[in-house]
Amino acid sequence: MGLSPQITNLIIILGMMQVAKKIPFEDPNVLNLCRALYALSNVIILCIHLYIMNTINKKKDLTTLKYVEPAPMGSTEEGKLVTTTIHAYDLAQSKQLLRSQMMGVFMMGVMHLYFKYTNPLLIQSIIPLKGAFESNLAKIHIFGQPASGDLKRPFKQSAGLMAGLQGGAAQSDKKAVEAAERAGRGGAKEE
């Protein structure tokens, strides 16, 4: 059993912070090399996401997927029943990961260009790339792992600050789906 992704990310961050102290970012050549590394990393991540989307579209798995989406935290309403296909679910997840990456690039651009931070260029060249290869979609569509256990759809949310604010994990067990169907919550098929 290996270390969890959060632990390895922490180790990488701490190690890269020590390495970044020794790098002369004042030298324009070194700074441009770090910028190029960051840009290359993001191009690779974009290629990974495009490859995954292409693979999803080639497979076009139209198996029906039903799950109960949790209500937002603090809301008194019940969760909403979602009926979709594996194809649509995987595409939505892939687009969400791609949007998340683009938001990270935007934030890094603000930090680097506006606030003149250079150290995060190194860390953000490695951590998102590692995350792209560790994503559930990459495990299924690139590495060919079966969609069972932790890779069963709907995917479990990773534990973190934002996961707690979103109201918990989606429920796909038969009991929760049937209860939502009887209550008439949602059920419109997503395309």
Side-chain angles (χ1 to χ4, degrees), residues 110-138:
V110 169
M111 287 175 59
H112 180 63
L113 299 174
Y114 185 71
F115 295 112
K116 307 293 184 207
Y117 289 126
T118 53
N119 292 3
L121 282 173
L122 290 175
I123 296 168
Q124 292 303 313
S125 297
I126 297 170
I127 298 293
L129 186 60
K130 178 181 169 285
F133 281 112
E134 290 176 343
S135 73
N136 290 333
L137 291 174

Side-chain angles (χ1 to χ4, degrees), residues 3 9 15 29 42 85 90 95 97 116 145 151 153 188:
L3 295 173
N9 285 351
N29 292 330
N42 281 289
T85 63
D90 283 359
K95 288 176 183 175
L97 289 172
K116 307 293 184 207
Q145 295 181 8
L151 298 179
R153 295 169 185 94

Side-chain angles (χ1 to χ4, degrees), residues 28-189:
N29 292 330
V30 172
L31 184 58
N32 286 334
L33 186 64
C34 288
R35 288 175 179 159
L37 178 67
Y38 179 72
L40 177 65
S41 170
N42 281 289
V43 167
I44 292 170
I45 292 169
L46 177 64
C47 290
I48 290 168
H49 288 299
L50 293 176
Y51 177 79
I52 289 172
M53 285 181 180
N54 188 35
T55 305
I56 291 168
N57 285 327
K58 277 184 183 174
K59 289 181 181 177
K60 198 151 186 132
D61 188 350
L62 298 177
T63 306
T64 301
L65 176 65
K66 290 184 180 183
Y67 61 95
V68 178
E69 198 173 72
M73 188 173 168
S75 174
T76 58
E77 60 190 53
E78 300 273 338
K80 183 179 97 173
L81 176 67
V82 176
T83 304
T84 187
T85 63
I86 289 178
H87 174 258
Y89 180 80
D90 283 359
L91 267 182
Q93 292 294 310
S94 183
K95 288 176 183 175
Q96 181 180 357
L97 289 172
L98 191 57
R99 252 190 317 267
S100 169
Q101 180 61 28
M102 293 303 116
M103 181 59 89
V105 169
F106 173 75
M107 294 299 293
M108 187 64 229
V110 169
M111 287 175 59
H112 180 63
L113 299 174
Y114 185 71
F115 295 112
K116 307 293 184 207
Y117 289 126
T118 53
N119 292 3
L121 282 173
L122 290 175
I123 296 168
Q124 292 303 313
S125 297
I126 297 170
I127 298 293
L129 186 60
K130 178 181 169 285
F133 281 112
E134 290 176 343
S135 73
N136 290 333
L137 291 174
K139 289 176 184 175
I140 293 170
H141 296 290
I142 293 177
F143 300 118
Q145 295 181 8
S148 60
D150 287 342
L151 298 179
K152 188 174 188 280
R153 295 169 185 94
F155 301 132
K156 291 177 176 52
Q157 290 181 335
S158 59
L161 176 65
M162 294 311 288
L165 296 176
Q166 292 172 345
Q171 298 173 314
S172 61
D173 58 286
K174 191 173 182 176
K175 184 178 176 184
V177 169
E178 287 176 354
E181 284 175 340
R182 279 194 302 275
R185 298 189 306 262
K189 187 172 182 175

Side-chain angles (χ1 to χ4, degrees), residues 5-19:
Q6 291 87 359
I7 299 295
T8 55
N9 285 351
L10 184 62
I11 291 169
I12 290 170
I13 289 169
L14 293 174
M16 291 309 290
M17 285 172 63
Q18 297 305 313
V19 169

